[in-house]
Amino acid sequence: DVLSVLQKIWKEKPETASRLRGRIERVLNFAKVKGWRSGENPAAWRGNLDNVLPKPKKLSRGHHPSMPYAQLPDFMASLREREALAARALELAILTGCRTGEVLEAPWSEFDLEAGIWSIPAPRMKNKKAHRVPLVPETMAILKPLYENRTNDFVFPGQKPDKPLSEMAMEMVMRRMNVKPFTVHGFRASFKDWCSDETFFQWEIVEGSLSHKVGSNVAQSYRRSDALEKRRQVLQAWTDYCCGAKPGKVVKLHA
Protein backbone atom coordinates (compact mmCIF):
# COMPACT_ATOMS: atom_id res chain seq x y z
CA ASP A 1 0.00 0.00 0.00
CA VAL A 2 2.81 2.40 0.90
CA LEU A 3 4.68 1.63 -2.31
CA SER A 4 1.59 2.13 -4.47
CA VAL A 5 1.11 5.61 -2.99
CA LEU A 6 4.75 6.65 -3.42
CA GLN A 7 5.26 5.28 -6.93
CA LYS A 8 2.64 7.66 -8.32
CA ILE A 9 4.73 10.74 -7.49
CA TRP A 10 8.26 9.42 -6.80
CA LYS A 11 9.75 10.58 -10.11
CA GLU A 12 7.51 13.54 -10.91
CA LYS A 13 7.57 15.13 -7.45
CA PRO A 14 10.65 13.70 -5.69
CA GLU A 15 10.81 16.21 -2.85
CA THR A 16 7.12 15.83 -2.02
CA ALA A 17 7.37 12.04 -2.30
CA SER A 18 10.40 11.92 -0.01
CA ARG A 19 8.65 14.03 2.61
CA LEU A 20 5.51 11.91 2.33
CA ARG A 21 7.48 8.70 2.86
CA GLY A 22 9.13 10.17 5.96
CA ARG A 23 5.82 11.27 7.42
CA ILE A 24 4.20 7.89 6.83
CA GLU A 25 7.19 6.26 8.51
CA ARG A 26 6.89 8.52 11.56
CA VAL A 27 3.15 7.92 11.89
CA LEU A 28 3.62 4.15 11.77
CA ASN A 29 6.51 4.33 14.25
CA PHE A 30 4.28 6.29 16.61
CA ALA A 31 1.54 3.68 16.20
CA LYS A 32 3.99 0.92 17.05
CA VAL A 33 5.15 2.68 20.22
CA LYS A 34 1.52 3.11 21.24
CA GLY A 35 0.90 -0.60 20.71
CA TRP A 36 -1.52 -0.04 17.85
CA ARG A 37 0.52 -2.09 15.36
CA SER A 38 3.49 -4.45 15.31
CA GLY A 39 6.12 -5.69 12.89
CA GLU A 40 8.50 -3.86 10.57
CA ASN A 41 7.71 -0.39 9.28
CA PRO A 42 6.65 -0.71 5.61
CA ALA A 43 7.61 2.93 4.97
CA ALA A 44 11.22 2.53 6.19
CA TRP A 45 13.82 3.47 3.60
CA ARG A 46 17.00 1.58 4.52
CA GLY A 47 16.77 -2.14 3.84
CA ASN A 48 13.24 -1.78 2.57
CA LEU A 49 12.03 0.78 0.02
CA ASP A 50 15.61 1.54 -1.07
CA ASN A 51 15.53 -1.83 -2.84
CA VAL A 52 12.62 -0.92 -5.10
CA LEU A 53 12.75 2.88 -5.50
CA PRO A 54 15.60 4.98 -6.96
CA LYS A 55 17.60 6.91 -4.42
CA PRO A 56 16.29 10.46 -3.88
CA LYS A 57 19.67 12.02 -4.63
CA LYS A 58 19.46 10.60 -8.18
CA LEU A 59 16.14 12.29 -8.78
CA SER A 60 15.97 15.73 -10.32
CA ARG A 61 14.17 18.23 -8.14
CA GLY A 62 13.80 20.68 -10.98
CA HIS A 63 13.14 24.39 -10.74
CA HIS A 64 10.14 26.13 -9.30
CA PRO A 65 8.24 27.64 -12.25
CA SER A 66 8.59 31.40 -11.96
CA MET A 67 6.34 34.10 -13.33
CA PRO A 68 8.10 36.31 -15.92
CA TYR A 69 8.76 39.58 -14.16
CA ALA A 70 7.01 41.49 -16.96
CA GLN A 71 3.74 40.03 -15.66
CA LEU A 72 4.33 41.07 -12.04
CA PRO A 73 2.77 44.57 -12.11
CA ASP A 74 -0.56 43.28 -13.44
CA PHE A 75 -0.49 40.28 -11.13
CA MET A 76 0.24 42.45 -8.09
CA ALA A 77 -2.59 44.82 -8.99
CA SER A 78 -5.00 41.88 -9.04
CA LEU A 79 -3.53 40.47 -5.84
CA ARG A 80 -4.02 43.74 -3.95
CA GLU A 81 -7.73 43.64 -4.79
CA ARG A 82 -8.11 40.42 -2.79
CA GLU A 83 -9.00 40.81 0.87
CA ALA A 84 -7.88 37.37 2.09
CA LEU A 85 -5.14 37.23 4.70
CA ALA A 86 -3.25 34.76 2.53
CA ALA A 87 -3.19 37.38 -0.25
CA ARG A 88 -1.41 39.79 2.10
CA ALA A 89 1.05 37.04 3.00
CA LEU A 90 1.77 36.39 -0.67
CA GLU A 91 2.18 40.11 -1.31
CA LEU A 92 4.71 40.35 1.53
CA ALA A 93 6.58 37.29 0.29
CA ILE A 94 6.91 38.71 -3.22
CA LEU A 95 8.04 42.17 -2.13
CA THR A 96 10.58 40.92 0.42
CA GLY A 97 11.87 37.91 -1.54
CA CYS A 98 11.33 35.70 1.50
CA ARG A 99 10.43 32.01 1.51
CA THR A 100 6.98 30.62 2.32
CA GLY A 101 7.86 29.36 5.79
CA GLU A 102 9.71 32.53 6.71
CA VAL A 103 6.57 34.55 5.98
CA LEU A 104 3.82 32.31 7.30
CA GLU A 105 5.55 31.36 10.55
CA ALA A 106 6.70 34.89 11.37
CA PRO A 107 5.79 36.14 14.88
CA TRP A 108 5.35 39.82 15.65
CA SER A 109 8.38 39.71 17.94
CA GLU A 110 10.64 39.63 14.86
CA PHE A 111 9.39 42.98 13.58
CA ASP A 112 10.55 46.47 14.46
CA LEU A 113 7.95 48.52 12.63
CA GLU A 114 9.45 51.83 13.74
CA ALA A 115 12.88 51.01 12.34
CA GLY A 116 11.46 49.15 9.35
CA ILE A 117 13.39 45.92 10.00
CA TRP A 118 12.27 42.31 10.10
CA SER A 119 14.87 40.17 11.91
CA ILE A 120 14.50 36.44 11.19
CA PRO A 121 16.52 34.28 13.62
CA ALA A 122 18.89 31.59 12.37
CA PRO A 123 16.73 28.57 13.34
CA ARG A 124 13.97 29.78 11.01
CA MET A 125 16.26 30.27 8.03
CA LYS A 126 17.05 27.61 5.45
CA ASN A 127 20.79 28.28 5.72
CA LYS A 128 20.59 28.58 9.54
CA LYS A 129 21.97 32.11 9.41
CA ALA A 130 20.06 35.07 10.86
CA HIS A 131 18.67 37.38 8.20
CA ARG A 132 17.48 40.99 8.45
CA VAL A 133 14.86 42.10 5.93
CA PRO A 134 14.54 45.85 5.26
CA LEU A 135 10.91 46.93 5.22
CA VAL A 136 10.02 49.63 2.71
CA PRO A 137 6.91 51.84 3.04
CA GLU A 138 4.77 49.52 0.91
CA THR A 139 5.56 46.45 3.02
CA MET A 140 5.03 48.49 6.17
CA ALA A 141 1.59 49.40 4.80
CA ILE A 142 0.79 45.69 4.61
CA LEU A 143 1.98 44.99 8.14
CA LYS A 144 0.65 47.92 10.17
CA PRO A 145 -3.09 47.14 9.75
CA LEU A 146 -2.37 43.51 10.59
CA TYR A 147 -0.51 44.57 13.73
CA GLU A 148 -3.32 46.86 14.84
CA ASN A 149 -5.82 44.00 14.44
CA ARG A 150 -3.60 41.13 15.64
CA THR A 151 -5.28 38.21 17.41
CA ASN A 152 -2.22 36.15 18.42
CA ASP A 153 1.56 36.16 18.13
CA PHE A 154 1.61 35.27 14.42
CA VAL A 155 1.52 37.92 11.71
CA PHE A 156 -0.63 35.59 9.63
CA PRO A 157 -2.73 33.59 12.11
CA GLY A 158 -4.56 30.48 10.99
CA GLN A 159 -7.96 29.17 11.95
CA LYS A 160 -6.55 26.96 14.70
CA PRO A 161 -5.66 28.74 17.98
CA ASP A 162 -2.03 29.85 18.18
CA LYS A 163 -1.22 28.46 14.74
CA PRO A 164 -0.18 30.30 11.55
CA LEU A 165 -1.79 29.98 8.15
CA SER A 166 -1.32 26.68 6.37
CA GLU A 167 1.71 26.20 4.13
CA MET A 168 -0.75 25.83 1.25
CA ALA A 169 -2.51 29.16 1.89
CA MET A 170 -0.52 31.26 -0.57
CA GLU A 171 -0.49 28.53 -3.19
CA MET A 172 -4.28 28.35 -2.97
CA VAL A 173 -4.49 32.07 -3.64
CA MET A 174 -2.49 31.56 -6.82
CA ARG A 175 -4.70 28.66 -7.87
CA ARG A 176 -7.79 30.82 -7.46
CA MET A 177 -6.10 33.49 -9.57
CA ASN A 178 -5.46 30.85 -12.25
CA VAL A 179 -1.76 31.53 -12.72
CA LYS A 180 -0.55 27.99 -13.26
CA PRO A 181 2.13 26.66 -13.47
CA PHE A 182 3.85 29.38 -11.44
CA THR A 183 4.74 28.79 -7.79
CA VAL A 184 5.14 30.96 -4.70
CA HIS A 185 8.83 30.10 -4.43
CA GLY A 186 9.27 31.00 -8.09
CA PHE A 187 8.81 34.70 -7.30
CA ARG A 188 12.30 34.68 -5.82
CA ALA A 189 13.58 33.76 -9.28
CA SER A 190 11.41 36.49 -10.82
CA PHE A 191 13.08 39.00 -8.50
CA LYS A 192 16.54 37.72 -9.39
CA ASP A 193 15.83 37.82 -13.13
CA TRP A 194 14.53 41.40 -12.86
CA CYS A 195 17.63 42.51 -10.96
CA SER A 196 19.88 40.86 -13.52
CA ASP A 197 18.09 42.16 -16.61
CA GLU A 198 16.86 45.57 -15.57
CA THR A 199 19.21 47.00 -12.90
CA PHE A 200 22.84 47.62 -12.09
CA PHE A 201 22.66 46.55 -8.44
CA GLN A 202 25.70 44.64 -7.20
CA TRP A 203 25.15 40.91 -7.52
CA GLU A 204 26.22 40.16 -3.95
CA ILE A 205 23.63 42.66 -2.70
CA VAL A 206 20.92 40.96 -4.75
CA GLU A 207 21.99 37.53 -3.48
CA GLY A 208 22.05 38.88 0.05
CA SER A 209 18.48 40.07 -0.39
CA LEU A 210 17.53 36.44 -1.03
CA SER A 211 19.58 35.28 1.98
CA HIS A 212 21.89 33.36 -0.32
CA LYS A 213 25.47 32.70 0.67
CA VAL A 214 27.91 34.81 -1.34
CA GLY A 215 31.57 33.90 -1.65
CA SER A 216 33.70 31.30 0.10
CA ASN A 217 33.67 30.56 3.82
CA VAL A 218 36.80 32.69 4.16
CA ALA A 219 35.17 35.63 2.39
CA GLN A 220 32.10 35.20 4.57
CA SER A 221 34.19 35.30 7.74
CA TYR A 222 35.59 38.70 6.78
CA ARG A 223 32.21 40.22 5.96
CA ARG A 224 30.91 41.92 9.09
CA SER A 225 27.99 43.89 7.61
CA ASP A 226 24.82 42.59 5.98
CA ALA A 227 24.50 45.72 3.79
CA LEU A 228 21.01 46.37 5.12
CA GLU A 229 20.57 49.83 3.63
CA LYS A 230 21.88 48.79 0.22
CA ARG A 231 19.42 45.92 0.26
CA ARG A 232 16.70 48.36 1.23
CA GLN A 233 17.36 50.25 -2.01
CA VAL A 234 17.12 47.01 -3.99
CA LEU A 235 13.80 46.03 -2.40
CA GLN A 236 12.42 49.54 -2.81
CA ALA A 237 13.24 49.48 -6.53
CA TRP A 238 11.66 46.00 -6.82
CA THR A 239 8.57 47.17 -4.95
CA ASP A 240 8.26 50.26 -7.15
CA TYR A 241 8.39 48.00 -10.21
CA CYS A 242 5.91 45.45 -8.88
CA CYS A 243 3.48 48.11 -7.71
CA GLY A 244 3.58 49.97 -10.98
CA ALA A 245 5.36 53.09 -9.76
CA LYS A 246 7.01 55.26 -12.36
CA PRO A 247 10.61 54.01 -12.61
CA GLY A 248 13.30 56.36 -11.50
CA LYS A 249 16.97 56.38 -12.27
CA VAL A 250 18.69 53.20 -11.08
CA VAL A 251 22.20 53.92 -9.93
CA LYS A 252 25.01 51.45 -9.50
CA LEU A 253 25.87 50.77 -5.87
CA HIS A 254 29.52 50.70 -4.94
CA ALA A 255 31.08 48.59 -2.22
Side-chain angles (χ1 to χ4, degrees):
D1 290 338
V2 172
L3 189 60
S4 67
V5 169
L6 296 176
Q7 283 179 325
K8 296 175 182 178
I9 59 173
W10 193 257
K11 293 182 179 180
E12 289 74 19
K13 300 179 180 179
E15 183 178 10
T16 299
S18 182
R19 289 180 180 178
L20 176 60
R21 185 209 62 78
R23 288 171 182 171
I24 295 173
E25 181 180 21
R26 289 194 295 274
V27 168
L28 295 180
N29 281 339
F30 179 82
K32 186 174 182 178
V33 171
K34 287 290 187 178
W36 300 337
R37 65 175 304 274
S38 60
E40 298 297 325
N41 193 323
W45 175 254
R46 190 179 299 276
N48 185 44
L49 294 178
D50 61 348
N51 291 305
V52 292
L53 293 172
K55 293 182 180 180
K57 66 180 181 180
K58 293 184 178 180
L59 299 174
S60 175
R61 177 179 175 179
H63 296 286
H64 295 273
S66 59
M67 180 179 292
Y69 62 79
Q71 298 180 23
L72 257 294
D74 288 341
F75 174 77
M76 292 295 287
S78 297
L79 181 62
R80 287 194 297 272
E81 293 177 354
R82 293 179 172 263
E83 298 181 356
L85 186 61
R88 300 289 76 73
L90 179 57
E91 191 177 357
L92 183 68
I94 294 171
L95 297 182
T96 60
C98 289
R99 301 177 178 88
T100 296
E102 294 162 7
V103 172
L104 294 182
E105 297 175 10
W108 282 114
S109 58
E110 293 179 358
F111 291 82
D112 184 338
L113 296 182
E114 291 188 6
I117 299 175
W118 173 15
S119 301
I120 310 176
R124 288 217 313 114
M125 295 299 298
K126 181 179 180 180
N127 60 8
K128 303 305 178 184
K129 182 179 179 181
H131 179 57
R132 292 197 301 168
V133 181
L135 301 173
V136 301
E138 290 81 359
T139 50
M140 294 283 283
I142 297 171
L143 292 165
K144 286 183 176 179
L146 298 178
Y147 181 75
E148 293 170 357
N149 296 283
R150 64 192 184 280
T151 57
N152 63 25
D153 293 336
F154 288 105
V155 177
F156 300 103
Q159 294 182 348
K160 295 182 179 180
D162 300 319
K163 293 290 184 180
L165 283 176
S166 163
E167 290 184 359
M168 292 293 293
M170 293 192 287
E171 184 175 332
M172 292 306 297
V173 170
M174 294 185 65
R175 289 184 184 180
R176 295 186 186 102
M177 296 179 71
N178 194 28
V179 289
K180 293 180 179 181
F182 308 131
T183 65
V184 176
H185 193 85
F187 286 113
R188 287 166 55 85
S190 303
F191 165 73
K192 193 170 180 179
D193 288 343
W194 176 80
C195 287
S196 176
D197 294 348
E198 305 293 339
T199 80
F200 293 99
F201 290 119
Q202 290 174 287
W203 195 239
E204 58 266 31
I205 303 300
V206 173
E207 291 291 288
S209 298
L210 293 170
S211 70
H212 285 165
K213 179 180 177 181
V214 180
S216 65
N217 290 333
V218 174
Q220 286 283 307
S221 68
Y222 278 94
R223 188 173 181 85
R224 298 290 185 262
S225 171
D226 63 358
L228 179 71
E229 293 309 314
K230 287 186 177 181
R231 290 189 290 110
R232 190 184 299 277
Q233 293 182 49
V234 175
L235 290 186
Q236 183 64 71
W238 169 242
T239 299
D240 289 344
Y241 172 77
C242 288
C243 296
K246 184 178 180 180
K249 181 180 179 181
V250 178
V251 297
K252 185 173 182 179
L253 298 178
H254 297 282

